[in-house]
Amino acid sequence: AQTVTQSQPEMSVQEAETVTLSCTYDTSENNYYLFWYKQPPSRQMILVIRQEAYKQQNATENRFSVNFQKAAKSFSLKISDSQLGDTAMYFCAFMSLEVDSGYALNFGKGTSLLVTP
Amino acid sequence: NAGVTQTPKFQVLKTGQSMTLQCAQDMNHNSMYWYRQDPGMGLRLIYYSASEGTTDKGEVPNGYNVSRLNKREFSLRLESAAPSQTSVYFCASSVLGTVYEQYFGPGTRLTVT
């Protein structure tokens, strides 16, 4: 089974600053997807960004971008121009594309991000 | 579009009681999933259903049963609740192919006393 590790349980950043959340994973597979999900206090799971392993180009979504290092099995999330609404728990997740995986998500333990004024 | 709906939103059970968590999606997705979220643990897969009529165990299936009633609905049953099953339960569905994205319901907070 794949292991997803988020080494920063908690982080804090000031409004308008940039913050980077770390994620590493362990797999022997070559084809997979990686995701970052945001969970605000409302508890709703919201997809922030996805990365296909076969793509070398790093994914970006507005203020959110990733640094995907396939050989190092690293997938960090950069949030630029942080906003108070970015305060949430952030989960890194791995999806195997093997058929017997059911295409389920394998989550890290999360990083709690606090954006301060 | 309601997306993924879950009922109930909150539930308190006594040890040994049974209950069924309901999940429905209106996006015509083939695959559906049940996860549990415990403090400091992230989300862990309980069961999944790749298509109507099939179900498979995930990482933490003990103490649970599931039913894929039809393409829309996927229920999770606790036959004899235990305090260790106190958790937040999420249902998700996904469309496979070019967009491997899972859509989540709002979650059910279950407390077993």
Side-chain angles (χ1 to χ4, degrees), chain A residues 33 35 37 39 42-45 47 50 52 91 95 97 99-110, chain B residues 9-10 33 35 37 40-43 45 48 88 90 96-102 104-109:
Chain A
Y33 274 63
F35 302 84
Y37 276 87
Q39 186 180 43
S42 67
R43 199 169 71 196
Q44 182 66 49
M45 294 291 287
L47 178 66
R50 84 167 65 81
E52 297 92 323
F91 292 98
M95 178 188 283
L97 295 185
V99 173
D100 61 1
S101 75
Y103 308 101
L105 291 167
N106 194 348
F107 287 89
K109 294 184 178 182
Chain B
K9 287 191 168 45
F10 301 93
Y33 308 83
Y35 297 89
Q37 182 180 20
M41 291 295 293
L43 281 75
L45 182 67
Y48 67 95
V88 178
F90 287 96
L96 306 178
T98 58
V99 180
Y100 291 84
E101 177 178 346
Q102 289 193 12
F104 284 81
T108 295
R109 181 175 292 279

Side-chain angles (χ1 to χ4, degrees), chain A residues 73-101:
Chain A
K73 297 178 184 173
S74 171
F75 183 60
S76 60
L77 174 70
K78 186 171 83 170
I79 306 175
S80 304
D81 185 26
S82 296
Q83 300 176 359
L84 296 178
D86 295 334
T87 291
M89 183 72 80
Y90 287 82
F91 292 98
C92 178
F94 176 100
M95 178 188 283
S96 167
L97 295 185
E98 299 290 325
V99 173
D100 61 1
S101 75

Side-chain angles (χ1 to χ4, degrees), chain B residues 22-36:
Chain B
Q22 306 285 355
C23 173
Q25 52 91 10
D26 62 1
M27 296 174 283
N28 201 36
H29 289 169
N30 285 323
S31 297
M32 297 185 73
Y33 308 83
W34 277 105
Y35 297 89
R36 61 177 286 173

Side-chain angles (χ1 to χ4, degrees), chain B residues 39-107:
Chain B
M41 291 295 293
L43 281 75
R44 292 181 292 169
L45 182 67
I46 304 172
Y47 270 94
Y48 67 95
S49 171
S51 61
E52 187 178 351
T54 69
T55 61
D56 283 285
K57 295 179 180 179
E59 181 185 353
V60 288
N62 291 345
Y64 305 95
N65 286 303
V66 290
S67 295
R68 184 73 182 268
L69 305 169
N70 47 55
K71 192 171 185 179
R72 289 187 63 250
E73 298 171 291
F74 187 38
S75 62
L76 179 72
R77 182 161 178 84
L78 288 69
E79 291 290 353
S80 179
S84 61
Q85 294 178 304
T86 293
S87 190
V88 178
Y89 292 85
F90 287 96
C91 178
S93 70
S94 71
V95 58
L96 306 178
T98 58
V99 180
Y100 291 84
E101 177 178 346
Q102 289 193 12
Y103 296 80
F104 284 81

